[in-house]
Amino acid sequence: NNDSSLLFNAVYSIEAAIHSPDLKNSLQSWSNALLPGGVVIIVDDFLSVGVPRDDPDVDLFARSWIANSVHTTIEISTWADGIGMTLVRDRDLGSEFQIVKRNYRN
C-alpha cells in the first residue's frame, strides 16, 4: 500500500497483542501501516524469560484471559528485527509498581 493517507506515525496496542492469534503477523501488519520513522507501541503482558511456556500457571493465565499469544519481549524483538524494526525500550511496569498477585484459580 503506497497511499500515505492510510499510514500512521504510531500504532498503539494496549492490552490487545496478547489476544492476537498470530502476533508475529500482527506485528508485520502494524509495521506496514507506519509512515517512515513511525513507531509501534505495545503495552501488554509478556512471558518472563525463564518461565516455561508449559507452566500450569501460564496455561491457566492464558485460558483465563483468552491469551492466544503468550511470548517474551525477546521473541517480539527478534520478530521486529526480521521486518526491519528495532526494539527501542523494554520496560517492565510490574517491577516498578506494587502488584497484587491474582489467583486465576478462583
Side-chain angles (χ1 to χ4, degrees):
N1 183 351
N2 293 328
D3 184 355
S4 65
S5 69
L6 300 176
L7 300 177
F8 304 92
N9 291 311
V11 172
Y12 294 90
S13 173
I14 301 172
E15 298 291 338
I18 200 167
H19 302 290
S20 171
D22 184 349
L23 186 52
K24 187 176 182 179
N25 185 55
S26 294
L27 189 61
Q28 178 69 63
S29 295
W30 298 336
S31 173
N32 293 342
L34 292 174
L35 287 165
V39 297
V40 173
I41 299 169
I42 303 172
V43 179
D44 219 319
D45 298 305
F46 292 97
L47 185 64
S48 295
V49 173
V51 175
R53 193 170 263 111
D54 61 353
D55 183 287
D57 286 334
V58 172
D59 180 60
L60 188 56
F61 166 81
R63 285 186 289 116
S64 297
W65 281 94
I66 311 171
N68 299 311
S69 293
V70 181
H71 298 284
T72 66
T73 55
I74 293 171
E75 290 173 301
I76 303 297
S77 180
T78 300
W79 297 338
D81 288 345
I83 57 174
M85 298 178 74
T86 302
L87 176 65
V88 174
R89 187 169 185 191
D90 178 359
R91 184 172 171 191
D92 181 3
L93 298 177
S95 66
E96 296 180 32
F97 300 98
Q98 185 177 24
I99 303 295
V100 176
K101 184 176 179 181
R102 296 189 79 134
N103 183 347
Y104 295 101
R105 299 187 196 300
N106 294 332

